[in-house]
Amino acid sequence: MNQDAILLPLNLPAGASRQERQGFARLCALLANAPEGAAQDHDHWIKSAKIKNLYDQPLLAAAAHVAIDLVLQGWTVSISRYKAFFAPPSVHSNRAAEKARIRRQELLRRDEQLRKGSVRKFVESMERTHQHGDQLVSVFNLMRDGRELVEALQRAGASAEVIKPYVQIVDSSICELTGFKLHDIWRYFRHTWSNAYATVPGRSMPILIRDAATEFHAVIGLAAISSPVVQIAERDQWIGWETDQFLEQVRAKPTDDIACWLAQRINAQQSEIYVDDLLREGILQPTDLTTPTSEVLARLRADAERHRQRHHQTSTIREVRNLKHDAWADRAMTDLFRSKRSSALAEALEIGILLGAYLSPPTAEALTKAFSDPKARVQMRRVVRRARGERVGTVIADLTVCGAVAPYNALAAGKLVGALAVSPRVLAAYREKYARPSEIASAMAGRPILRETRLSFVGTTSLYGTGSSQYNRLFWPAEVMGGKSTTRMGFHELGRSRSFGTSHFSEETVDALVRLSALSGSVVRVNGLFGEGVSPRLRKVRLGLAALGWPADELLRHGRERILYGVPLVENLRDYSLGIAPEPKYLLNPELPEADAKVAEWWLQRWCRQRAMRQDVLESMRSHRLVRPVRHGARVPLPAGDEMLEMLPIVT
């Protein structure tokens, strides 16, 4: 036990039965002697502790699953006076040790997923040969034999004749060459990652990078552009739109443009809220919208709280499913959005009272006067926070998946995937895909509301906090994407993320915590509806830990600090991202049709050619073979003990 480690007493609350306490004590005694890196699953520990009928003991179930997850992630347990104390893993100074620890944590969850019958069935279906046209094909035809690629490189060098990368946006269509659904291809290769595959709430656009130099256009790598994490302090400060940072810049240098923007934001915030039902029910009078009083604000906040409680307590969850045919006003009147609307309107009216008066007319001088009023400054903070919250999900995105598969990964193809993931082809596809009414904004307004879809910034994180060979030094001349020859683009290091979240908890643990919170009579329900709030999984875990009486903030620190990276796509990053500037000044040409080929040519010359000259790289590539038995790094690695038929492609 590290003497400097924080010791957390984790024991069952007062309501636990004697049987539950005894079972938890036996489990903790076993966990205290668990070897480092123990990989047994939850059932192993439950049976070893002689715990039976776990489902009928909800307190014990939640506590046991949390405790097992913590130990499997590197926490240590000590027993003192019949109480269990847990200590988080120490921060390793050794880069290799820290990387191994995090990789072990990730593999535990991935292997848990790969053991599921539904996942196994999917993998088997992809590896089984099927008739497509006049050929028998399987997912193995989408892998490139390493020996063949080495021979091609030795004959022709790293040229476009040997590897011809291109971007393929994954949608509902079918791969013409293999007959597989594009999303199934993407999902199969995603299962080869060292961390578990998971769907991402909100926006998500999967991307395949394929090789036109092969018969079936083998998969080089994959990526996904998704909705960003809403609050990342390091990213927001780097962009320049963190609230206090931005306001300090404005205070030092006020402008008419920013004053006009603030006035427009105040008007837009109020005009994009559906009020018909509020007027109809007498919560508001028409004059309240132009001359609101403190009594009006109090009525709106009481209405918001009343409908918030109804949303969480009602047994029937009303959700509009088909947004193309169901009226936006119908969704606006659900308890969830009625609560959000009343609260947002109260805020908008209060901002208008305390800040709007200073901005009529909106000038730099008026802005200076507003800064002299503490109440107006508070309202400016609210306007900026709401503006950032609105735009962060539309002009900012995260690169949630990015990497190459074997044998291309040995040629630093991960860097190729990273560059292509922010290429004009991807930006245009993203803009086209999401050029539709915003679900939350439209439900708040009771009518279709379109948001900006032109991306200004793409962020990502390393898997490990010790570094990322994939994003390190990943810069390219902007001219390969149609930009200026004097400008370069790429992945800037922004800082390090806070090691906080739920990724170290298994699905078994989350289910047990959710059940415990429900049985404990929690007045808050997490229904997982779009618009209810960010990270339903995080909120569920918090509620369950609260029911146990355990410190959520400490237990949600998973100890996986990661390096943050970001790719700015525009020159006017702060002002366009906030909406102060209406048009983006792109660093690239977002309409450049031949960008894929230009990026591929840059990668071949900058990275691939050097790797292809190294004998150790070529030797590692040769190990990925498409002959019986299939031993290929792009094949899904089922956990030890799982037997699968050797479904082989036709290899010529």
Side-chain angles (χ1 to χ4, degrees):
M1 176 79 67
N2 181 1
Q3 294 182 350
D4 297 327
I6 299 173
L7 295 179
L8 299 179
L10 301 182
N11 296 281
L12 296 188
S17 67
R18 180 180 179 183
Q19 182 179 351
E20 287 178 316
R21 292 180 185 281
Q22 290 175 341
F24 189 67
R26 290 195 301 271
L27 175 64
C28 289
L30 288 171
L31 294 174
N33 296 309
E36 184 177 357
Q40 293 90 346
D41 59 20
H42 285 225
D43 287 343
H44 166 86
W45 293 105
I46 299 297
K47 291 177 181 177
S48 298
K50 299 180 181 179
I51 297 174
K52 298 179 180 179
N53 304 320
L54 194 61
Y55 186 81
D56 297 327
Q57 304 175 84
L59 273 171
L60 176 58
H65 284 303
V66 171
I68 293 169
D69 272 341
L70 293 177
V71 170
L72 294 181
Q73 303 297 335
W75 288 57
T76 53
V77 186
S78 61
I79 309 296
S80 176
R81 295 183 180 180
Y82 306 105
K83 291 186 177 181
F85 294 86
F86 286 69
S90 59
V91 178
H92 296 279
S93 59
N94 183 285
R95 174 174 176 172
E98 175 67 1
K99 195 170 183 178
R101 181 182 74 85
I102 296 174
R103 181 175 175 82
R104 184 170 64 247
Q105 292 176 351
E106 296 289 356
L107 288 174
L108 284 170
R109 287 195 64 198
R110 187 201 69 176
D111 288 351
E112 174 191 23
Q113 183 180 68
L114 293 179
R115 289 189 181 96
K116 292 182 178 179
S118 59
V119 177
R120 177 190 177 107
K121 185 177 180 180
F122 168 75
V123 172
E124 289 176 338
S125 69
M126 294 295 290
E127 297 191 355
R128 186 180 300 116
T129 55
H130 68 275
Q131 189 77 36
H132 180 65
D134 58 354
Q135 292 181 299
L136 288 173
V137 297
S138 76
V139 75
F140 294 119
N141 291 95
L142 291 168
M143 303 175 195
R144 190 161 185 177
D145 189 285
R147 297 167 303 165
E148 178 272 323
L149 178 54
V150 168
E151 292 174 2
L153 288 169
Q154 290 178 332
R155 285 196 309 269
S159 69
E161 298 302 316
V162 176
I163 305 175
K164 296 181 180 179
Y166 69 92
V167 171
Q168 184 173 46
I169 305 300
V170 175
D171 52 24
S172 60
S173 60
I174 303 294
C175 172
E176 296 179 357
L177 299 171
T178 63
F180 286 121
K181 294 179 180 178
L182 291 181
H183 194 274
D184 285 348
I185 294 174
W186 191 92
R187 178 188 168 191
Y188 178 89
F189 287 102
R190 175 61 182 83
H191 277 304
T192 67
W193 258 232
S194 61
N195 57 339
Y197 165 71
T199 56
V200 178
R203 298 181 175 188
S204 184
M205 189 176 76
I207 302 160
L208 287 167
I209 308 300
R210 299 182 68 173
D211 185 359
T214 63
E215 180 182 3
F216 293 94
H217 292 195
V219 172
I220 295 174
L222 51 152
I225 298 289
S226 308
S227 293
V229 176
V230 175
Q231 294 181 348
I232 300 181
E234 296 79 5
R235 177 201 63 198
D236 294 342
Q237 290 170 1
W238 198 88
I239 290 175
W241 68 350
E242 191 275 327
T243 304
D244 293 330
Q245 171 195 25
F246 172 77
L247 288 177
E248 180 57 31
Q249 293 170 352
V250 174
R251 188 197 63 78
K253 189 177 180 180
T255 65
D256 291 350
D257 286 345
I258 293 179
C260 289
W261 172 73
L262 284 169
Q264 291 166 0
R265 288 292 314 176
I266 294 171
N267 293 332
Q269 184 174 339
Q270 182 175 331
S271 66
E272 292 182 358
I273 299 175
Y274 181 76
V275 297
D276 289 9
D277 55 338
L278 297 173
L279 293 168
R280 187 167 55 248
E281 296 173 22
I283 303 297
L284 285 176
Q285 298 300 319
T287 55
D288 293 337
L289 296 172
T290 54
T291 56
T293 63
S294 58
E295 290 77 15
V296 172
L297 303 184
R299 285 202 305 272
L300 286 169
R301 288 172 179 142
D303 185 72
E305 178 60 21
R306 183 166 57 252
H307 285 85
R308 186 191 70 83
Q309 292 183 4
R310 285 180 54 180
H311 166 70
H312 287 299
Q313 294 174 353
T314 183
S315 58
T316 302
I317 304 301
R318 181 187 175 199
E319 181 181 15
V320 177
R321 295 287 184 180
N322 193 331
L323 300 178
K324 291 184 178 179
H325 298 93
D326 293 326
W328 287 111
D330 287 347
R331 191 172 190 188
M333 288 187 287
T334 61
D335 289 329
L336 171 61
F337 280 96
R338 171 66 175 263
S339 173
K340 293 168 74 72
R341 286 188 292 115
S342 293
S343 177
L345 184 57
E347 178 183 294
L349 293 175
E350 185 173 42
I351 292 172
I353 294 171
L354 298 175
L355 176 61
Y358 283 101
L359 301 175
S360 183
T363 63
E365 291 75 17
L367 199 52
T368 299
K369 292 180 180 179
F371 270 104
S372 67
D373 182 346
K375 292 183 178 180
R377 288 203 304 271
V378 170
Q379 303 312 313
M380 275 191 273
R381 294 188 83 258
R382 297 172 84 177
V383 173
V384 175
R385 283 202 308 270
R386 181 169 285 273
R388 188 176 70 245
E390 174 189 302
R391 302 273 290 190
V392 71
T394 61
V395 301
I396 303 293
D398 277 352
L399 185 57
T400 51
V401 175
C402 181
V405 301
Y408 299 98
N409 55 357
L411 298 171
K415 294 182 182 292
L416 167 70
V417 177
L420 286 175
V422 295
S423 65
R425 170 83 176 91
V426 170
L427 300 187
Y430 186 89
R431 185 167 66 250
E432 180 180 356
K433 181 175 182 177
Y434 293 109
R436 63 188 190 215
S438 165
E439 292 191 31
I440 292 180
S442 300
M444 292 288 285
R447 67 182 191 277
I449 297 292
L450 296 176
R451 294 296 191 211
E452 182 61 81
T453 59
R454 292 173 293 181
L455 290 176
S456 65
F457 180 92
V458 175
T460 191
T461 63
S462 64
L463 181 58
Y464 306 107
T466 54
S468 172
S469 59
Q470 179 163 284
Y471 302 121
N472 184 37
R473 295 182 295 132
L474 182 48
F475 292 91
W476 56 89
E479 62 183 331
V480 305
M481 294 184 180
K484 299 177 182 177
S485 59
T486 55
T487 304
R488 73 170 188 168
M489 295 180 62
F491 288 75
H492 297 263
E493 185 174 327
L494 313 182
R496 291 179 179 268
S497 68
R498 301 170 184 174
S499 49
F500 188 88
T502 64
S503 61
H504 52 313
F505 288 125
S506 65
E507 293 304 323
E508 289 174 292
T509 300
V510 175
D511 290 344
L513 289 169
V514 169
R515 184 166 182 267
L516 175 62
S517 65
L519 293 174
S520 300
S522 173
V523 296
V524 178
R525 295 179 60 191
V526 181
N527 303 303
L529 301 182
F530 191 68
E532 191 177 51
V534 298
S535 188
R537 179 185 171 97
L538 177 62
R539 287 179 286 133
K540 289 175 181 178
V541 170
R542 274 193 175 280
L543 288 174
L545 292 174
L548 275 174
W550 289 7
D553 285 347
E554 296 296 335
L555 297 179
L556 288 168
R557 297 183 191 280
H558 50 60
R560 304 180 200 176
E561 193 177 73
R562 295 177 176 178
I563 301 174
L564 298 166
Y565 296 91
V567 183
L569 303 170
V570 300
E571 294 178 15
N572 53 343
L573 181 58
R574 186 201 73 175
D575 286 358
Y576 170 69
S577 296
L578 274 174
I580 299 169
E583 294 297 321
K585 297 180 181 179
Y586 273 109
L587 296 170
L588 69 164
N589 178 359
E591 308 297 333
L592 186 66
E594 65 271 19
D596 286 9
K598 287 182 173 291
V599 172
E601 181 182 357
W602 161 80
W603 168 74
L604 286 165
Q605 298 301 321
R606 173 65 180 85
W607 296 101
C608 181
R609 184 179 296 277
Q610 297 178 31
R611 293 296 184 96
M613 297 174 63
R614 290 171 46 180
Q615 289 304 313
D616 60 323
V617 170
L618 298 178
E619 194 59 35
S620 69
M621 292 169 61
R622 290 190 181 98
S623 65
H624 303 290
R625 305 171 58 174
L626 292 174
V627 295
R628 188 184 298 273
V630 175
R631 297 287 184 264
H632 199 287
R635 185 182 187 183
V636 174
L638 290 179
D642 289 333
E643 298 293 336
M644 289 196 67
L645 296 175
E646 293 290 348
M647 305 298 180
L648 299 179
I650 298 175
V651 180
T652 57

